[in-house]
């Protein structure tokens, strides 16, 4: 992700996967990525999962209003229920307003 | 990471590792983790690296002043130079002020 606009919103989602339903999870994750990209104010997303099943996904939004609209999207809410039911052992979610942003690429 | 205080500061560091100097990197990462934990206002850190070498580390600070003090710590600055020289292909760093925070654990 390149430099973010000051005042934009980052959503940090940190989740421990269960071992259950890998195919269902992968399908849902793919569908949510695609749907997020179509939402107003979507700026980007970055996601990493380690071998132990802990994952961090950060999504970026032009405004907190946009982040809340994505949170409240009915398809997203339904997937969240499935996540709590089947895919996650625990998660944290932190919403934060960008105050500084830098980007570096090896010259 | 449990729920964060509203108004605390999150530092999102997303970096692509090079293949170079795995031992030196691991040693430095360990030393920086230990040093960060001793800094004023340190609330916690979470880090994940995927098989492709992309990593996301999020550190949490009581205030932006604390996050800036850690940025300016001389040992941290020296390691950053080594990172640009040897360990990273590119990175982004986003500093953001927490406006909402949630935590969920499977009942």
């Amino acid at each position: 992700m390149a430099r973010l606009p000051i005042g934009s919103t980052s959503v940090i989602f940190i989740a421990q996967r269960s071992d259950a339903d890998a195919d269902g999870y992968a399908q849902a994750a793919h569908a949510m990525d695609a749907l997020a990209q179509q939402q107003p104010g979507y700026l980007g997303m970055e996601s990493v999962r380690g071998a132990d099943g802990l994952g961090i996904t950060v999504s970026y939004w032009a405004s907190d209003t946009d982040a809340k609209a994505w949170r409240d999207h009915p398809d997203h809410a339904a997937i969240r229920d499935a996540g709590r039911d089947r895919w996650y052992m625990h998660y944290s979610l932190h919403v934060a307003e960008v105050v500084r942003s830098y980007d570096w690429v090896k010259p």
Side-chain angles (χ1 to χ4, degrees), chain A residues 6-17:
Chain A
I6 306 307
S8 61
T9 292
S10 57
V11 179
I12 305 162
F13 178 67
I14 301 173
Q16 180 66 51
R17 276 278 284 125

Side-chain angles (χ1 to χ4, degrees), chain A residues 5 7 13 17-19 23 28-29 31 33 36 38 45-46 59 66-67 77-79 85 92 100 104 107:
Chain A
F13 178 67
R17 276 278 284 125
S18 68
D19 291 330
D23 287 354
D33 283 0
Q38 297 166 22
M45 193 181 295
E46 286 165 306
S59 63
D66 296 323
I79 286 286
D85 192 41
S92 305
R100 291 188 296 286
W104 177 85

